[in-house]
Amino acid sequence: MNKRFYSNALKKLLMLTLLFGGLSACSLKKGSDTADRVKPYSADNERPIKVNEAADKTQWEKTADAIIAEGKRYMGTPYVYGTERFNDKAFDCSSYVQYLYGQHGIPLGYNAREQAVQGEEIPFINLRKGDIMFFSDEDFPNETGLNKVRHVGIYMGEGQILHTYEQGTGVIISNIHKDKKEGEYWYQHYLFARRVI
């Protein structure tokens, strides 16, 4: 909070106090019964101001946070290409995304290419947490159209992707830029993003 807020609040409080009888009217007379009276809050006994951040979140943000929180619970879960769907013991990239969104009532396609046509396409600059990011693969440089889509992950915000992509790594959080493991790979192979929340 800033000084202007407190200054304005203090001015309003002072005006109200003067309006309702002045400062001397706030004290109790000697011998009066205080048991049944409600004492006003003083500077020594001020009410704490509580901010309920969760109430301020929009529904999409609550859903995105829940998906990401659940996704983090699977950190290190093994990567198995073509794994059984809706199984939380192993994932490939698309089954991981499909599983997490499905747990929150958002049905997604079977593979990354099917998921790549769902929702609304979002420019890179407008990414927000919960958006689904799609990537090409350096091993398939001549693919075109949707065939270029070889990987999918969940944008977490702050330039991070929650995904799984190779045996021995499993579910992991990667940086889009300057990733410790992959360098600029994710940025260089980024294709587009879709918003399904």
Side-chain angles (χ1 to χ4, degrees), residues 168-184:
T169 299
V171 174
I172 191 171
I173 295 171
S174 299
N175 292 314
I176 296 170
H177 284 293
K178 299 179 182 173
D179 185 63
K180 289 178 185 176
K181 185 172 187 211
E182 300 292 343
E184 291 295 315

Side-chain angles (χ1 to χ4, degrees), residues 147-166:
N147 287 333
K148 284 185 79 81
V149 175
R150 295 290 175 160
H151 183 65
V152 60
I154 301 166
Y155 184 64
M156 297 177 64
E158 305 294 323
Q160 295 185 314
I161 315 160
L162 180 61
H163 60 152
T164 185
Y165 65 94
E166 69 180 3

Side-chain angles (χ1 to χ4, degrees), residues 15-22 25:
M15 295 281 286
L16 287 172
T17 304
L18 291 173
L19 182 67
F20 291 106

Side-chain angles (χ1 to χ4, degrees), residues 91-107:
F91 298 107
D92 64 15
C93 66
S94 57
S95 72
Y96 179 62
V97 172
Q98 182 187 45
Y99 178 80
L100 292 173
Y101 283 77
Q103 294 297 307
H104 295 275
I106 302 168

Side-chain angles (χ1 to χ4, degrees), residues 61-144:
E61 192 171 15
K62 290 177 190 176
T63 302
D65 286 343
I67 288 169
I68 291 166
E70 184 171 356
K72 286 179 174 180
R73 288 185 27 232
Y74 294 102
M75 294 291 288
T77 299
Y79 173 89
V80 177
Y81 179 76
T83 192
E84 180 184 334
R85 300 298 167 182
F86 299 101
N87 161 27
D88 65 355
K89 305 297 181 225
F91 298 107
D92 64 15
C93 66
S94 57
S95 72
Y96 179 62
V97 172
Q98 182 187 45
Y99 178 80
L100 292 173
Y101 283 77
Q103 294 297 307
H104 295 275
I106 302 168
L108 293 178
Y110 181 82
N111 59 41
R113 287 183 201 103
E114 288 180 11
Q115 294 170 6
V117 296
Q118 294 183 263
E120 171 189 1
E121 189 166 344
I122 301 298
F124 185 82
I125 196 164
N126 294 335
L127 281 172
R128 69 181 189 197
K129 62 184 168 182
D131 287 342
I132 305 173
M133 302 177 75
F134 297 90
F135 302 87
S136 62
D137 186 326
E138 66 188 358
D139 293 337
F140 300 91
N142 298 321
E143 298 290 354
T144 59

